[in-house]
Amino acid sequence: SDSHSSFPATAPRGGDAQQYDLINKLIADDQLTDQSSVLSTELYSYTEEPEFALNRDYFEEDFRSHGTRGRRWIELMAEEQRAYVMRLLDALEVTDRDKRLKVARAILYLAQGVFDECDTEVDVLHWSRHNVFLLYDMGIFTALLELLSMEIDNSQACSSAVRKPAISLADSTELRVLLSIMYLMVETIRVQTEDDRPEWRSAREAFKNELGSPLYNGEPFALLLFTMVTKFCSMNAPHFPMKKVLLLLWKTILFTLGGFEELQEMKVRGRERLSLPPLPEDSIKVVRAMRAASPPASAMELIEQQQQQKRGRRSRRPLVKQDSLDTYNERDPFKNDDARDEEEDPEDTDSGIEGEVDPLDRDVIIQPPPPPLKPPTERVNFPKGLPWAPKVREKDIEHFLETSRNKFIGFTLGNDTETLVGLPRPIHESVKTLKQVRGEKNSLHSQVDTTMDLKYSNPEGEEEVEETPTEMLYLGMLPNLSQYVIALLKLLLAAAPTSKAKTDSINILADVLPEEMPITVLQSMKLGIDVNRHKEIIVKAISALLLLLLKHFKLNHIYQFEIVSQHLVFANCIPLILKFFNQNIMSYISAKNSICVLDFPHCVVHEMPELTAESLEAGDSNQFCWRNLFSCINLLRILNKLTKWKHSRTMMLVVFKSAPILKRALKVKQAMMQLYVLKLLKIQTKYLGRQWRKSNMKTMSAIYQKVRHRLNDDWAYGNDIDARPWDFQAEECALRESIEKFNSRRYDRNKNGDFTPVDNCLQSVLGQRVELPEDFHYSYEMWLEREVFSQPIQWEGLLQNP
């Protein structure tokens, strides 16, 4: 078996297959597509379990007091249910804090699916969905928003929490109840099902528009949650339940802006609107079709392989054998079993390639001796082609033509890529091929060139900006953008498994620690699992949130993406992500920090068994923690977005010695994660030296096969034209200057920028009324004599060119 990793190269069987498939679809939401899955399992901590019964008791007490004559909620008619919800809405407006909390708990019980009246988990989810749409229709969300704003501004609770030496679950009771209801409403309405009623579909669109529009206190709902995050990180409100805030913020952004599939559709529509050619491929489908490669061997395993070769029967060469990629080598135990026989001939099994071979020459060596005993495809799967269409940048074409003109003509034409006079015929063919795969000039992000700034200096008036949800969110975030980014990275650092416990670090466990600390070993084990699970969920929410923001801002306007990226870089996001991966990544991916019997709604539908140390250690039935895999992929993608085409940031990867850290991450045998690791290794390969490339040929081969090819890119040889000295400050300052100009001309209301329209019409200027001082009427004749008549006019100079 493969000693590096037991991560499945193909989708696992049963329920795990759905989650694996979902990961490979690049959806920024790792919930199962099956509606029988749990939508809110991660919302609750295990220490909140006793509160489920509390919610039920408050609901039943209030429900019986309203004369329902012993009937249950699921037995009421629709009008009766609406009338009861209206009474709950009225009761939310009482001044008594305790009464308000009881009513909020009753509403939470409805949103949780009146589980005491259900027999199965499917019934709970059905009634939860029914009740959530009813609550939204009755205006509960707006009332909850007002209560949430009151709790955020509750200075007494904040000052009390600041003075407390230890904050527990009890300090955030009201906030947790409100945020739980709001999360259930956002997440339930966001997810679309086939059997949705027409009124539910219209309610979904209405709710989506409300959340993305500045209807709540003049700003989108996400801005209120961002404010909670910054207030918590500034130590002014340490009792805020950050896990629930981050989950709700992530789902709100996902709902209002759209997930990765919506992003792909928006990209296609944007290209059609600008009359650009269609995308060469669908990246989601390409990554889904990828298969994982064998991870690089460690030093001990190389020694073992060498010893085995010495004992082998057909050892032709003394070189240490490295397994080739899975596409060429069928000895990997996780290869697709459909493409080979149940039992392979031992003779065939030992006929692999020995030593490193050029990938382009492998098909010659792997050819079976004629005549074959069985079809070659049963033993070797030859690739049909590289997964990605090659691309080239406009800058690469310019450099190619500049070199060719210097060689054949002796002079250059600057940035001209059209004139080919005097160049040989092969150069014409090369330029034609390069232009066929040219990606940057015809992309949606061509605005990144500073020369495009002139496009926006509209002399006739202001630049027209479409009021999309992304645009409104950026406009709201812009004044405090750096604070939001720093706060999110502080939380990510506090939740990272590699972080050391510090007394001055942020306490992110306020909404998981019970009032009474555990006194038995079993309680301590349960709390330890809960704390680790709590941190994993926070990492998951932050990583998905940052990735969504980067992708949506990049599609909306490239400079919006660049300013968020620069704030992340300045806040040390690159070393933070590398620190996150500088751990035993296989242990993190296979962590078992969950207790299935305590997950909602399993714990409220089924009878609770007696918990023992063995049942706690058993964890869930999944072989791997999909939550942690999802987080790792998101962080790798963020790192890719920060460093792509940025020479100074690429050099930061080299300076921080990221290559061995990233190479260890290749042990996780999952195609998508390996792809983004290989991308990060590719951009810094030319700076790692010839010896590194020579001793990591298997990694180089994996990069060649899995990562998109850029024509004229000498990444594997170190002859890149961009291998210039590392000037981090100059590059970032130039980028910041362009960003400041963009923000000034687009969002500055003072109209004092460089792009303020100038009125050059003579009649318009002379027709303006100008307020003159009183003494001007007495002295204007002297002014005319001094400033106009006494000054000689050079009329001939007006006819000459300046």
Side-chain angles (χ1 to χ4, degrees):
S1 66
D2 192 339
S3 58
H4 298 291
S5 163
S6 55
F7 199 90
T10 55
R13 306 293 181 217
D16 289 353
Q18 290 175 313
Q19 291 205 28
Y20 185 94
D21 182 61
L22 206 69
I23 292 272
N24 278 350
K25 283 171 65 180
L26 297 169
I27 298 177
D29 170 14
D30 64 340
Q31 309 296 349
L32 295 175
T33 53
D34 183 7
Q35 283 308 300
S36 63
S37 65
V38 180
L39 293 176
S40 55
T41 296
E42 295 180 341
L43 178 63
Y44 311 107
S45 302
Y46 295 144
T47 48
E48 293 181 83
E49 180 197 352
E51 297 188 12
F52 294 139
L54 203 58
N55 300 338
R56 177 197 60 205
D57 295 341
Y58 284 139
F59 170 81
E60 290 181 348
E61 177 186 344
D62 185 78
F63 193 60
R64 285 194 300 267
S65 66
H66 282 85
T68 53
R69 296 187 298 275
R71 288 187 298 166
R72 300 188 299 172
W73 170 262
I74 61 177
E75 297 172 352
L76 296 182
M77 301 295 290
E79 292 303 319
E80 293 176 307
Q81 291 179 346
R82 293 174 67 88
Y84 178 70
V85 173
M86 183 60 72
R87 286 196 292 268
L88 289 178
L89 186 58
D90 292 338
L92 273 180
E93 298 179 359
V94 298
T95 56
D96 191 331
R97 187 183 180 89
D98 293 333
K99 289 182 179 179
R100 270 205 320 265
L101 178 60
K102 289 182 179 180
V103 175
R105 284 196 178 279
I107 295 174
L108 177 57
Y109 179 70
L110 285 176
Q112 289 172 339
V114 288
F115 48 80
D116 201 49
E117 303 176 16
C118 301
D119 298 325
T120 64
E121 297 179 26
V122 177
D123 292 340
V124 174
L125 294 172
H126 167 76
W127 281 105
S128 173
R129 190 170 187 79
H130 171 84
N131 295 342
V132 160
F133 277 99
L134 175 62
L135 293 173
Y136 171 71
D137 190 39
M138 301 302 293
I140 290 289
F141 192 86
T142 306
L144 294 174
L145 186 61
E146 295 176 359
L147 293 177
L148 181 63
S149 301
M150 288 172 53
E151 289 296 331
I152 294 173
D153 298 333
N154 188 347
S155 57
Q156 183 179 355
C158 292
S159 59
S160 174
V162 169
R163 291 194 301 269
K164 277 192 174 184
I167 303 174
S168 67
L169 204 65
D171 296 301
S172 59
T173 303
E174 292 84 358
L175 281 170
R176 284 187 295 104
V177 172
L178 295 174
L179 290 169
S180 295
I181 303 172
M182 300 172 93
Y183 176 89
L184 289 173
M185 293 183 71
V186 170
E187 174 65 0
T188 304
I189 296 176
R190 182 189 70 83
V191 178
Q192 189 171 355
T193 60
E194 296 179 357
D195 56 346
D196 276 354
R197 306 170 192 170
E199 59 267 24
W200 286 4
R201 293 193 179 97
S202 59
R204 176 180 295 109
E205 290 302 317
F207 192 33
K208 178 180 179 180
N209 293 333
E210 288 177 18
L211 290 177
S213 303
L215 299 180
Y216 304 112
N217 299 326
E219 59 185 17
F221 175 58
L223 264 297
L224 179 66
L225 301 176
F226 270 118
T227 304
M228 292 186 71
V229 173
T230 54
K231 196 171 182 180
F232 174 85
C233 290
S234 62
M235 303 294 184
N236 293 326
H239 65 296
F240 282 0
M242 266 303 104
K243 185 187 78 172
K244 286 182 168 56
V245 173
L246 291 169
L247 283 174
L248 179 55
L249 178 57
W250 167 34
K251 297 296 183 178
T252 302
I253 298 293
L254 186 63
F255 187 22
T256 55
L257 305 188
F260 290 175
E261 289 184 333
E262 288 89 343
L263 270 165
Q264 187 75 6
E265 294 172 1
M266 291 162 59
K267 197 180 296 184
V268 171
R269 291 196 301 269
R271 296 184 73 88
E272 291 175 353
R273 188 172 62 252
L274 297 174
S275 302
L276 298 176
L279 292 167
E281 72 272 303
D282 187 342
S283 58
I284 295 177
K285 294 179 181 178
V286 172
V287 177
R288 284 191 68 188
M290 279 190 176
R291 298 195 61 256
S294 297
S298 64
M300 287 299 298
E301 288 158 345
L302 290 176
I303 294 173
E304 291 176 4
Q305 289 176 356
Q306 193 172 20
Q307 292 174 349
Q308 291 174 1
Q309 280 190 344
K310 290 179 181 178
R311 297 192 297 266
R313 294 167 302 169
R314 297 188 295 172
S315 179
R316 295 193 298 268
R317 299 163 71 183
L319 294 176
V320 176
K321 178 181 180 297
Q322 290 184 348
D323 292 337
S324 56
L325 292 175
D326 287 351
T327 312
Y328 299 97
N329 186 5
E330 282 295 319
R331 303 200 311 176
D332 193 293
F334 298 109
K335 276 297 273 188
N336 193 349
D337 294 330
D338 298 335
R340 61 175 181 178
D341 293 337
E342 293 283 338
E343 296 280 334
E344 278 196 333
D345 190 344
E347 296 288 328
D348 292 334
T349 307
D350 197 37
S351 61
I353 313 167
E354 297 195 15
E356 276 297 341
V357 185
D358 190 296
L360 299 174
D361 297 331
R362 281 180 173 158
D363 55 342
V364 180
I365 299 176
I366 299 179
Q367 288 290 340
L373 300 177
K374 54 185 178 182
T377 53
E378 293 184 8
R379 185 172 67 87
V380 179
N381 284 340
F382 289 97
K384 296 180 181 179
L386 296 172
W388 303 100
K391 280 187 179 180
V392 67
R393 292 188 298 168
E394 188 76 10
K395 179 181 176 182
D396 298 327
I397 301 178
E398 292 172 4
H399 175 70
F400 175 74
L401 280 173
E402 183 180 352
T403 306
S404 301
R405 287 171 183 145
N406 270 328
K407 179 178 179 181
F408 294 103
I409 303 177
F411 65 89
T412 62
L413 298 178
N415 297 330
D416 186 356
T417 59
E418 303 299 328
T419 305
L420 302 177
V421 177
L423 296 176
R425 186 66 185 175
I427 301 297
H428 288 236
E429 297 294 330
S430 300
V431 173
K432 180 181 177 181
T433 304
L434 290 173
K435 288 184 177 180
Q436 285 177 348
V437 297
R438 176 172 52 189
E440 294 303 318
K441 186 173 182 179
N442 292 333
S443 76
L444 289 175
H445 310 310
S446 59
Q447 316 157 49
V448 74
D449 277 12
T450 53
T451 55
M452 295 293 288
D453 288 346
L454 298 175
K455 171 184 174 183
Y456 299 107
S457 54
N458 183 5
E460 299 179 0
E462 297 182 7
E463 175 189 353
E464 294 183 3
V465 181
E466 186 180 357
E467 292 294 326
T468 61
T470 309
E471 184 67 31
M472 287 184 283
L473 179 64
Y474 177 80
L475 184 58
M477 292 179 64
L478 185 58
N480 302 309
L481 185 57
S482 61
Q483 297 178 31
Y484 298 149
V485 169
I486 291 173
L488 289 174
L489 292 184
K490 279 184 177 180
L491 292 170
L492 183 61
L493 176 62
T498 53
S499 297
K500 302 291 189 298
K502 295 181 180 178
T503 55
D504 58 342
S505 63
I506 300 175
N507 178 20
I508 58 173
L509 306 178
D511 52 334
V512 70
L513 295 177
E515 288 186 89
E516 299 179 0
M517 295 306 289
I519 56 176
T520 66
V521 175
L522 187 65
Q523 291 174 342
S524 299
M525 290 179 63
K526 176 183 170 184
L527 182 59
I529 293 174
D530 203 6
V531 167
N532 291 334
R533 174 177 175 269
H534 183 82
K535 291 181 177 180
E536 290 174 1
I537 295 170
I538 289 178
V539 172
K540 167 186 171 180
I542 294 175
S543 64
L545 172 63
L546 287 175
L547 181 59
L548 271 178
L549 289 175
L550 288 173
K551 290 186 75 70
H552 277 286
F553 286 151
K554 188 173 185 179
L555 188 59
N556 196 55
H557 197 290
I558 190 64
Y559 280 138
Q560 295 176 355
F561 162 81
E562 293 293 355
I563 188 172
V564 176
S565 300
Q566 196 166 70
H567 280 303
L568 285 168
V569 172
F570 288 168
N572 286 332
C573 183
I574 293 177
L576 172 57
I577 295 178
L578 293 176
K579 179 181 180 182
F580 182 90
F581 281 96
N582 193 18
Q583 58 170 313
N584 188 339
I585 202 67
M586 278 306 302
S587 299
Y588 186 70
I589 293 293
S590 57
K592 302 289 186 187
N593 292 317
S594 59
I595 308 170
C596 291
V597 293
L598 296 181
D599 286 339
F600 182 89
H602 185 279
C603 62
V604 294
V605 174
H606 303 283
E607 187 176 349
M608 285 292 296
E610 183 180 356
L611 290 178
T612 61
E614 290 75 16
S615 63
L616 290 180
E617 290 178 349
D620 56 16
S621 58
N622 292 331
Q623 188 179 3
F624 294 91
C625 180
W626 299 102
R627 172 174 58 240
N628 292 349
L629 175 64
F630 177 74
S631 302
C632 290
I633 293 175
N634 287 339
L635 291 173
L636 287 170
R637 298 188 71 180
I638 292 169
L639 200 53
N640 268 288
K641 289 195 172 299
L642 295 182
T643 54
K644 186 176 181 180
W645 305 124
K646 301 289 192 304
H647 176 260
S648 59
R649 299 178 191 175
T650 302
M651 292 305 297
M652 289 178 69
L653 293 178
V654 179
V655 170
F656 290 128
K657 295 182 171 55
S658 65
I661 298 174
L662 295 170
K663 193 178 172 186
R664 283 198 299 271
L666 288 174
K667 293 185 177 182
V668 180
K669 202 169 181 190
Q670 207 275 338
M672 186 186 298
M673 183 166 172
Q674 287 185 344
L675 171 66
Y676 293 110
V677 171
L678 292 172
K679 280 187 173 186
L680 289 167
L681 286 172
K682 177 183 176 180
I683 61 176
Q684 55 177 317
T685 297
K686 52 181 169 284
Y687 308 115
L688 297 177
R690 184 170 178 270
Q691 185 58 42
W692 187 93
R693 297 193 293 272
K694 183 178 179 182
S695 57
N696 290 275
M697 284 306 297
K698 184 183 175 185
T699 305
M700 302 286 285
S701 300
I703 293 173
Y704 174 84
Q705 190 186 14
K706 292 185 178 297
V707 182
R708 186 191 301 276
H709 285 260
R710 297 275 174 175
L711 302 184
N712 292 355
D713 183 8
D714 290 337
W715 63 271
Y717 305 101
N719 300 325
D720 192 81
I721 59 171
D722 289 333
R724 56 188 182 277
W726 180 25
D727 192 352
F728 174 85
Q729 193 171 8
E731 287 187 27
E732 296 297 340
C733 286
L735 180 59
R736 172 52 67 94
E737 184 180 359
S738 299
I739 294 170
E740 293 294 342
K741 286 182 180 179
F742 163 75
N743 285 331
S744 174
R745 70 164 180 264
R746 193 162 180 171
Y747 305 110
D748 188 7
R749 303 305 179 196
N750 296 326
K751 301 301 178 189
N752 293 325
D754 296 337
F755 295 96
T756 303
V758 177
D759 191 352
N760 295 320
C761 178
L762 183 62
Q763 292 181 347
S764 174
V765 172
L766 294 178
Q768 292 178 0
R769 293 187 61 85
V770 180
E771 295 294 334
L772 299 173
E774 293 182 2
D775 57 348
F776 182 80
H777 297 284
Y778 303 105
S779 59
Y780 77 96
E781 291 182 350
M782 296 175 57
W783 179 86
L784 281 173
E785 183 66 32
R786 184 181 68 250
E787 299 292 339
V788 179
F789 300 144
S790 63
Q791 297 292 331
I793 300 175
Q794 303 292 335
W795 297 104
E796 294 81 1
L798 297 177
L799 302 177
Q800 298 174 359
N801 291 328

